[in-house]
Each structure stands twice: as structure tokens, then as C-alpha cells.
């Protein structure tokens, strides 16, 4: 069936995507507890998932994105396969199940059928958590460039609102303005439960603001509002990160800002930097200077390991050792907490709660074993190919977005090595948006469906 042409109007898919974006931002900022709020986001994803899949199939566009769709299918298949009931003769022989078998024997019970995962309920929750990002990924693949741009603009506006909410939280000194019960009260978190995740949002939005602002220079438009917004937004990110005091956010800001300015220079036409491009750079430089003068000591205090030892680094060897026990298939998606509690050394027990490995790659190694590692490697291959296609192309509205998306993905991927940002629906949906934008790199531009 030949591809049809999609205009930039608001259709059913665009409306459903807007609803999902709004709900994911307001209700998706926590990675655990508050199941009802997260269920609202997951339910909102269902109509978008169905309509987007139908449009991809009817248009035939799915053929152009087979590898990316296979990666998405693999992401869903791993936890679903782990939920398949297995006969006792199979699951009792899997690595890491000796203690389970011993417990049944001591209780005088015979092993029955059981799935591969140690925590079926949490694995089901992981399957449901895939729905929102999967729905938006399919929606963006079949959406026009204008519709995609509106989705990115939503995140830029939402990031500004989140920083303003964070400022109000800091000024209030109480807990009334925090949307989550389990949160870093007294810190700047915005709509998130974890301040590090707000830092990830700002870093991921930074390149989009930069290219949106610089693109008006290439088009020689008299409308300078996007340029000034880009400069102010980049300055706001500097101030926001200083207030959030996320160590990963502070460390990543420099590299992300530099690459974002490179993308802005390309978006401006690769010419000699003019006043407009210098304004973007000046906005960042001025904010950095102000932060260095006014707020440097509190930021440096966050890096004082003597006053606040970093437990995640101490826990990584324990997680790696546990992962080896469950190879090659892993302990089951979502089972990290149960496994870690069973292997945590007694001398490490204290009042703190190590609910995640704070390293998504290591946690995937534990929960999904070799299949999870293979999926990550396949994704990195996809990312490298699409990144190359996006950056070698000349400036255009679509290519500018694709370069910005590659930077945003890089920020989230690197931050995932020391945290778990993608376990929040808000950032998982943003990740899916960026991945779908980058997936179009190397494809002809301005191809739109009806």
C-alpha cells in the first residue's frame, strides 16, 4: 500500500499523544509506589498504542523501521518470556534457584510449575511500564515533523514549569509542594520524586532549546523569540542544576552543553558565529559565572565523599557477583530488590534502602542476563548508526531535531550508568520520543503520512 501524506493537523493520534505526554509528566515522576498514578499513565497509553500501530501497519511505514521495531519487540519479549510457567524439571535446574528448592524441601512441599522470574508480580509491572514509551515511539514514527516538534516544545515548556515548581519547593521549606510521598524533601525535585531525574530532564531538553534557537539564524527569520528562549533556557538549566545539586547533572552539563552548542552551530548554517549564536553561548557563560560566584561551595560539598560516602559504588560488586549466579537468563525483570536483600553482606546492613543498583546496565545484567545484554548491545549498534546518519547530514528542521535527540539520548544513557532515570514514566516517554526522532535519521526528510 503506498504511503499517504500526513499533514500537521491535530488528529486522533496527536490528541492521544498530547494526553499521554501531559499525564506522564504529572503522574510519572516516581519509579516506585503510587501505583494508581502510574496506572493512569499506562491506561492512557493503550489507545495511542493501538491507533499508532494501526497507522504504521496500514501505511506500510513499519517496513522502514523494522530493526527499531524489533528492538522494541525484544524489550517487551524478555519480561513476557520470563513469565511463562515452566515445569519443575526445568526451573529447578536453572542457576540461582537452589535456595528456592531448598526452602520447598524444608517446608515439605513438592516444586510445582513456576516462571523463570523470581518476582512475577514485579515483572508484570515492568511489562505494563513499557506501554507508555512504546505507544509514543510508534506515534512519533507515524507523525509529521510539525507534530513531533510540538511534542518537543511540550517538554521544553514542562521543564521550565518543573524548575519553577522546584524554586517554589526550595522557598517553601516544607513538604506541601512535593507531589510524591517518598521524595527528597528540602531538595529541588519539580514533578519528580528524585532530584537526579529532574537534572536528567534538563540535560535532555538542553540540545533541543539550542537548535530551536539557532535554526532561526539559518532561515534568516526576523522572529527572534526562539533564539532568546534558547539562550534563556540554557541559562536556566545552569541555574537549575546548581539548585538541584545533582552530581551527575553537574558533571554531565559541560559535555552536553558543548555538543549542544555544536549542534546549534550546524543548525545556524555552519557559518562564522554571529551575534545570535554568541547570545546562546553567552547565556550559558553568564549563568555559569553567576553560579560560580554565588553557589559554588554548596555544589562542591555534594562531591565530598568523606562527609557522605557513596553507597552505590560499594554495592556494585555485590550486584555483579549476584548476577553471575543467575546467568545466563537472569533473575527476572523487577527482581533486583529481592535478590539484593538475599545477598547483601551483613556488615553493609544499615538504615538506608538500596532499591536499585543505580546502574541500569548492571541491573539489567542481573535481571535479564545474556538476553538483556544482547538487547543493550543491539540498541547501541542502532544508536551509533543513526547518530552517524544524523550528524553527517546538512542542516534542516528534521536533521536539527535528530542531532538534538542524539544528544538527549546520550545524556540519559550516560546518566543511567549511575542512576535509574528511565524507570520513571516521564523520562521513559521522553527517551522514546528522542529514539523515534533519531530513528528517522538517514531517511528522506519531510515524508509525512495520512
Amino acid at each position: 500500500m503506498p504511503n499517504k501524506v500526513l499533514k500537521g493537523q491535530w488528529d486522533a493520534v496527536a490528541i492521544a499523544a498530547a494526553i499521554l505526554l501531559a499525564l506522564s509528566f504529572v503522574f510519572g515522576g516516581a519509579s516506585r509506589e503510587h501505583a494508581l498514578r502510574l496506572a493512569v499513565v499506562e491506561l492512557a497509553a493503550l489507545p495511542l498504542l493501538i491507533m499508532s500501530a494501526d497507522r504504521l501497519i496500514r501505511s506500510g511505514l513499519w517496513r522502514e523501521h523494522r530493526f527499531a521495531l524489533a528492538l522494541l519487540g525484544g524489550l517487551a519479549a524478555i519480561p513476557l518470556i520470563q513469565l511463562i510457567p515452566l515445569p519443575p524439571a526445568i526451573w529447578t535446574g536453572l542457576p540461582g534457584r537452589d535456595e528456592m528448592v531448598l526452602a520447598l524441601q524444608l517446608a515439605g512441599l513438592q516444586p510445582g510449575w513456576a516462571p523463570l522470574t523470581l518476582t512475577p508480580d514485579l515483572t508484570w509491572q515492568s511489562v505494563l511500564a513499557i506501554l507508555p514509551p512504546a505507544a509514543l515511539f510508534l506515534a512519533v514514527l507515524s507523525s509529521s515533523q510539525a507534530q513531533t516538534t510540538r511534542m518537543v516544545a511540550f517538554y521544553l515548556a514542562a521543564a521550565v514549569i518543573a524548575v519553577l515548581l522546584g524554586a517554589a519547593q526550595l522557598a517553601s521549606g516544607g513538604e506541601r509542594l512535593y507531589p510524591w510521598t517518598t521524595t527528597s524533601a528540602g531538595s529541588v525535585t519539580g514533578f519528580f520524586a528524585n532530584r537526579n531525574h529532574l537534572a536528567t530532564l534538563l540535560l535532555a531538553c538542553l540540545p533541543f532549546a539550542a537548535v530551536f534557537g539557532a535554526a532561526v539564524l539559518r532561515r534568516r527569520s526576523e522572529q527572534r523569540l526562539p533564539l532568546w528562549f534558547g539562550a534563556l533556557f540554557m541559562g536556566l538549566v545552569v541555574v537549575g542544576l546548581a539548585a538541584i545539586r545533582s552530581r551527575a547533572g553537574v558533571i554531565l552539563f559541560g559535555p552536553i552543553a558543548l555538543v549542544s552548542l555544536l549542534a546549534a552551530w550546524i543548525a545556524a548554517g555552519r557559518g562564522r558565529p554571529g551575534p545570535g549564536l554568541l547570545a546562546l553561548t553567552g547565556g550559558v557563560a553568564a549563568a555559569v559565572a553567576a553560579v560560580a560566584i554565588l553557589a559554588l561551595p554548596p555544589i562542591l560539598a555534594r562531591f565530598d565523599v568523606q562527609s557522605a560516602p557513596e553507597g552505590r559504588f560499594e554495592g556494585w560488586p555485590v550486584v555483579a557477583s549476584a548476577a553471575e549466579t543467575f546467568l545466563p537468563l537472569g533473575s527476572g525483570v523487577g527482581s533486583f530488590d529481592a535478590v539484593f536483600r538475599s545477598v547483601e553482606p551483613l556488615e553493609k546492613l544499615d538504615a538506608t534502602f538500596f532499591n536499585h543498583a543505580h546502574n541500569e546496565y548492571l541491573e539489567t545484567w542481573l535481571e535479564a542476563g545474556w538476553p538483556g545484554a544482547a538487547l543493550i548491545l543491539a540498541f547501541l549498534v542502532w544508536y551509533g548508526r543513526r547518530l552517524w546518519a544524523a550528524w553527517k547530514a546538512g542542516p534542516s528542521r528534521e536533521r536539527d531535531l535528530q542531532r538534538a535527540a542524539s544528544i538527549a539520548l546520550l545524556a540519559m544513557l550516560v546518566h543511567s550508568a549511575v542512576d535509574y532515570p528511565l524507570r520513571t514514566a516521564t523520562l521513559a516517554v521522553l527517551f522514546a520520543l528522542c529514539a523515534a526522532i533519531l530513528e528517522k535519521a538517514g531517511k528522506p526528510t519531510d515524508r509525512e503520512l495520512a
Side-chain angles (χ1 to χ4, degrees):
M1 179 183 296
N3 287 340
K4 299 180 181 179
V5 180
L6 239 190
K7 303 301 180 186
Q9 75 272 13
W10 286 89
D11 56 11
V13 170
I15 293 172
I19 293 173
L20 176 60
L21 288 176
L23 291 176
S24 71
F25 201 87
V26 176
F27 295 143
S31 60
R32 61 190 176 92
E33 301 180 347
H34 306 283
L36 181 59
R37 298 190 204 180
L38 298 178
V40 171
V41 181
E42 292 160 1
L43 288 173
L46 290 176
L48 180 61
L49 183 67
I50 295 170
M51 289 188 293
S52 301
D54 177 70
R55 192 158 76 174
L56 277 173
I57 294 171
R58 287 179 178 272
S59 66
L61 234 187
W62 66 272
R63 296 185 182 89
E64 299 181 12
H65 306 292
R66 282 175 289 190
F67 187 77
L69 292 174
L71 290 177
L72 180 60
L75 180 64
I78 288 177
L80 287 173
I81 291 174
Q82 291 178 339
L83 287 166
I84 297 175
L86 301 173
I90 294 180
W91 77 260
T92 56
L94 293 175
R97 272 64 178 183
D98 297 342
E99 292 183 1
M100 295 177 60
V101 175
L102 178 61
L104 290 173
Q105 291 175 348
L106 292 175
L109 300 175
Q110 291 296 322
W113 286 60
L116 184 151
T117 175
L118 302 181
T119 54
D121 56 333
L122 298 178
T123 303
W124 267 119
Q125 291 181 23
S126 300
V127 173
L128 296 176
I130 296 172
L131 294 178
L136 194 76
F137 182 78
L138 299 184
V140 175
L141 288 185
S142 61
S143 294
S144 68
Q145 192 266 341
Q147 291 170 341
T148 303
T149 301
R150 283 196 289 265
M151 296 180 194
V152 174
F154 166 85
Y155 270 102
L156 292 176
V160 173
I161 295 172
V163 172
L164 294 177
L165 175 59
Q169 291 169 341
L170 197 61
S172 70
E175 299 183 2
R176 291 185 297 108
L177 296 178
Y178 291 89
W180 305 96
T181 303
T182 304
T183 188
S184 304
S187 301
V188 175
T189 63
F191 290 96
F192 293 93
N194 188 321
R195 62 181 171 185
N196 294 312
H197 299 162
L198 176 58
T200 306
L201 173 70
L202 296 182
L203 290 172
C205 289
L206 181 64
F208 289 108
V211 299
F212 276 171
V216 302
L217 302 175
R218 182 184 76 248
R219 297 194 292 268
R220 303 185 186 280
S221 172
E222 296 183 358
Q223 176 58 264
R224 287 293 191 262
L225 182 59
L227 177 62
W228 293 115
F229 174 81
L232 290 173
F233 186 91
M234 295 180 78
L236 181 66
V237 169
V238 176
V239 176
L241 290 174
I244 296 166
R245 297 178 191 172
S246 165
R247 286 168 293 186
V250 171
I251 292 172
L252 288 176
F253 169 75
I256 296 299
L258 288 175
V259 182
S260 297
L261 289 172
L262 176 59
W265 174 70
I266 297 174
R270 287 195 174 103
R272 186 174 182 177
L277 199 57
L278 293 176
L280 284 174
T281 308
V284 177
V288 170
V291 167
I293 294 172
L294 300 175
L296 189 58
I299 295 174
L300 293 178
R302 286 280 293 144
F303 292 88
D304 184 4
V305 295
Q306 299 299 325
S307 61
E310 186 49 71
R312 73 188 69 187
F313 300 143
E314 298 175 0
W316 285 352
V318 180
V319 178
S321 176
E324 294 293 329
T325 303
F326 290 94
L327 288 179
L329 299 179
S331 59
V333 177
S335 64
F336 171 83
D337 183 36
V339 173
F340 188 80
R341 286 174 186 266
S342 68
V343 299
E344 186 176 12
L346 293 177
E347 62 270 16
K348 298 295 183 181
L349 292 178
D350 55 29
T352 60
F353 182 66
F354 202 55
N355 61 315
H356 287 292
H358 294 269
N359 183 321
E360 283 298 291
Y361 309 101
L362 188 57
E363 189 160 338
T364 300
W365 180 240
L366 168 64
E367 296 182 342
W370 285 110
L375 187 63
I376 290 175
L377 290 175
F379 173 83
L380 292 177
V381 169
W382 168 88
Y383 174 73
R385 293 178 60 186
R386 290 292 179 265
L387 180 144
W388 173 254
W391 282 85
K392 74 176 183 180
S396 71
R397 291 186 179 184
E398 281 194 321
R399 301 311 186 199
D400 294 342
L401 273 183
Q402 290 161 7
R403 281 184 283 269
S406 71
I407 301 170
L409 287 173
L410 179 63
M412 289 184 273
L413 288 170
V414 174
H415 200 177
S416 293
V418 292
D419 210 334
Y420 48 95
L422 300 185
R423 292 184 182 267
T424 66
T426 305
L427 294 176
V429 171
L430 175 58
F431 189 91
L433 169 64
C434 296
I437 292 172
L438 187 59
E439 165 60 14
K440 295 182 179 180
K443 305 287 192 289
T445 59
D446 298 323
R447 291 196 57 193
E448 302 178 343
L449 296 176

